Amino acid sequence: MSGPRHLVSIDDLSLAEIRELFERAQEFARDPRAWASLCPGLISASLFYEPSTRTRLSFESAMLRLGGGVVTAADMSQSSASKGESLADTVRVVGGSYSDIIVLRHPSEGAARLAASYSSVPVINAGDGSHEHPTQTLCDLYNLWVEHGRIEGIDVVLAGDLRYSRTIHSFAYALARFGANIICVPQAGFEMPEYVLQRLREEFGVEPQRADATRLGSLAAASDAMYLTPQKPHQLSLFTDARGWQVDRVDAVYMTRPQTERHGAGESTSEYLRLGKRAMAEESLRDAVVMHPLPRRDEISEEMDGDPRSIYFKQAARGVPIRMAILGTLLGRLDSNAESGAAPVQRYPVKIGDNPCPNSTCISHTETRHVSPSYQLASRSPLRAHCAWCSQELPFTHVACTSTGHYHLASAPCLRRVRPDHLVFMRDEGQARELGFEPPQRAARTCP
Ligand SMILES: [Zn+2]
Ligand SMILES: [Zn+2]
């Protein structure tokens, strides 16, 4: 028995499937009013545990354009959730009788994966906390694809607050996966975090290079620009010298607002980047489209609104055809020729000890009744593991093996041979002893 197909993460889709969605979306966009015979009689339920009006309207407009119907709970935190109904119970009720597909927005990271595991109908993740928002990422990619006819090999500037913007991190992974080159132009003090660079390195072979961004002019004047290209380092070394990668011509500038709600004390953005006609007058930016996930504040000057390179309003509007393609596909109303799914991810349940996830808003902490803590391995050497729900890295100093009953320093080479499902992650040595594990030298059995 195979359950319904969900969209929890963009990694649930193969590159071929994503390209197919783009082609569908382009067909829909040509005449959005011509598709009402695709999903008549089908109902989409918007379950929004935090308000996000633009995302919700975009999904609902897409469903109505396909001839389907919509039921909406625009603020679930005011209704059943406040009476204590769990997310798992809600999706079983809503998916069973009220609707044929669920669009879920939730403040807890991992909520969409939980909903998918209990739902009898497809679940679309419309944002789970600061984790993922796959349809937003697909919409951004789709815009590049429409504007440039391809994504592979294009040069995209990511500018502004690269530290706290979830949108930017998801977008960077997706760009690397498609083989685009990324030029980071961060606001000073808001550089791309190390864990994002690490994942780009581990999954896509991206080695950060210093970039010589003089040709970007004032856009990059106050910034240490960095060049990220999904190639192997030995290829890169052929092209770079001490000045760093020469940024020549750019295909897109993706601007983000300062994520002030996530900034700590002393993190000021009073001198935030501002993109205007003068900055965009550089020859290197002549053909660069200007993108922004909206809402904007002052980071893109209004004088840019009439510039043909500014596509940020179009960018939002294109969310409707791409969501039509996603809804139609998951509802089984569009045939697919693409090879489905990306590589399946192995997830292992935590068998001993507390939930090791350090993220207090993770669904594994907020809905403990229905979620069993679990992990996935990010790397064997050095050993790194993530919460399988929210993807946060697990902090640990020692690691035990359930079959031998002893523990090791996290850096111990013998851990590489321990079966992934036998690993137990400990925040310190004391916890290892509390749980009854022994240091290796006193253990009766030797390392596997
Ligand atoms: Zn977690
Ligand atoms: Zn051992």
Side-chain angles (χ1 to χ4, degrees):
M1 191 198 86
S2 76
R5 182 98 194 262
H6 308 285
L7 179 57
V8 170
S9 160
I10 193 165
D11 295 332
D12 295 341
L13 298 167
S14 68
L15 290 182
E17 285 177 303
I18 294 174
R19 282 197 198 93
E20 202 174 56
L21 287 174
F22 292 168
E23 279 157 20
R24 296 278 190 208
Q26 203 168 34
E27 266 178 75
F28 291 143
R30 249 174 244 134
D31 187 0
R33 292 169 188 82
W35 305 95
S37 59
L38 216 51
C39 297
L42 296 178
I43 295 174
S44 156
S46 309
L47 289 186
F48 277 53
Y49 286 79
E50 61 183 9
S52 176
T53 308
R54 279 182 314 115
T55 300
R56 190 168 58 79
L57 293 184
S58 178
F59 267 110
E60 294 180 353
S61 168
M63 189 63 185
L64 295 170
R65 292 257 186 242
L66 294 173
V70 169
V71 289
T72 287
D75 195 353
M76 284 294 287
S77 57
Q78 299 296 312
S79 56
S80 66
S82 61
K83 299 188 193 105
E85 184 174 50
S86 67
L87 177 59
D89 287 355
T90 302
V91 300
R92 278 182 283 196
V93 173
V94 173
S97 47
Y98 301 164
S99 73
D100 304 288
I101 193 163
I102 291 173
V103 176
L104 177 74
R105 172 85 164 203
H106 199 283
S108 289
E109 294 81 16
R113 187 168 303 287
L114 168 70
S117 68
Y118 280 92
S119 175
S120 59
V121 302
V123 171
I124 299 177
N125 183 3
D128 58 336
S130 60
H131 187 214
E132 280 210 54
H133 191 351
T135 64
Q136 162 98 57
T137 309
L138 286 168
C139 176
D140 291 343
L141 290 172
Y142 173 59
N143 270 276
L144 288 177
W145 182 82
V146 169
E147 295 291 334
H148 294 291
R150 69 195 162 96
I151 298 172
E152 191 181 350
I154 66 172
D155 289 301
V156 181
V157 166
L158 303 180
D161 182 350
L162 307 188
R163 179 162 211 86
Y164 293 105
S165 169
R166 165 200 60 192
T167 309
I168 282 287
H169 302 161
S170 302
F171 193 41
Y173 301 138
L175 287 171
R177 196 171 157 215
F178 265 95
N181 306 309
I182 301 167
I183 301 139
C184 294
V185 178
Q187 178 75 22
F190 296 88
E191 287 79 15
M192 198 70 107
E194 186 49 42
Y195 71 88
V196 175
L197 297 176
Q198 196 164 31
R199 181 170 164 196
L200 288 169
R201 194 178 299 130
E202 284 169 357
E203 279 186 38
F204 309 104
V206 171
E207 282 300 328
Q209 301 282 307
R210 218 164 56 80
D212 176 356
T214 41
R215 287 187 198 165
L216 293 183
S218 63
L219 174 63
S223 167
D224 283 327
M226 197 169 54
Y227 193 74
L228 304 172
T229 182
Q231 294 175 46
K232 297 297 169 213
H234 62 89
Q235 291 173 285
L236 263 180
S237 59
L238 299 174
F239 302 105
T240 48
D241 56 33
R243 287 173 303 134
W245 185 283
Q246 177 77 51
V247 177
D248 196 16
R249 203 171 209 85
V250 167
D251 298 296
V253 176
Y254 196 103
M255 194 74 197
T256 53
R257 68 179 175 87
Q259 307 276 315
T260 38
E261 68 279 13
R262 297 188 198 158
H263 292 174
E267 288 187 306
S268 162
T269 49
S270 53
E271 299 286 298
Y272 202 76
L273 286 168
R274 188 173 165 88
L275 197 64
K277 284 234 184 268
R278 206 176 66 84
M280 286 301 294
E282 295 294 332
E283 176 61 20
S284 62
L285 299 172
R286 201 185 62 192
D287 304 316
V289 293
V290 178
M291 300 172 72
H292 191 293
L294 302 181
R296 79 174 145 175
R297 291 180 192 170
D298 301 319
E299 57 277 3
I300 296 181
S301 152
E302 289 188 7
E303 67 184 19
M304 281 304 295
D305 291 358
D307 190 293
R309 292 168 295 179
S310 295
I311 63 162
Y312 31 90
F313 295 120
K314 252 192 253 176
Q315 182 187 349
R318 285 175 181 146
V320 175
I322 196 76
R323 289 185 172 100
M324 288 169 76
I326 292 163
L327 287 164
T329 301
L330 293 182
L331 284 165
R333 293 305 167 106
L334 295 168
D335 293 328
S336 170
N337 299 314
E339 198 145 319
S340 79
V345 176
Q346 281 295 329
R347 300 187 173 84
Y348 309 100
V350 172
K351 293 196 217 92
I352 296 174
D354 307 334
N355 181 359
C357 174
N359 170 17
S360 63
T361 57
C362 173
I363 196 78
S364 70
H365 289 294
T366 58
E367 192 158 327
T368 50
R369 250 193 306 155
H370 295 102
V371 179
S372 18
S374 51
Y375 59 89
Q376 60 199 63
L377 293 186
S379 133
R380 289 292 329 217
S381 177
L383 184 60
R384 297 198 307 108
H386 291 170
C387 170
W389 297 96
C390 71
S391 307
Q392 277 226 3
E393 183 153 3
L394 304 183
F396 52 85
T397 61
H398 291 72
V399 180
C401 167
T402 51
S403 76
T404 61
H406 51 207
Y407 66 83
H408 306 268
L409 265 176
S411 56
C414 74
L415 285 173
R416 257 174 263 170
R417 296 191 302 271
V418 175
R419 266 175 51 175
D421 57 326
H422 285 177
L423 295 167
V424 186
F425 302 96
M426 247 77 63
R427 59 181 175 269
D428 53 39
E429 191 169 3
Q431 192 191 9
R433 289 170 187 272
E434 262 168 49
L435 292 174
F437 291 106
E438 296 189 331
Q441 61 272 23
R442 284 198 278 121
R445 294 162 65 184
T446 52
C447 283

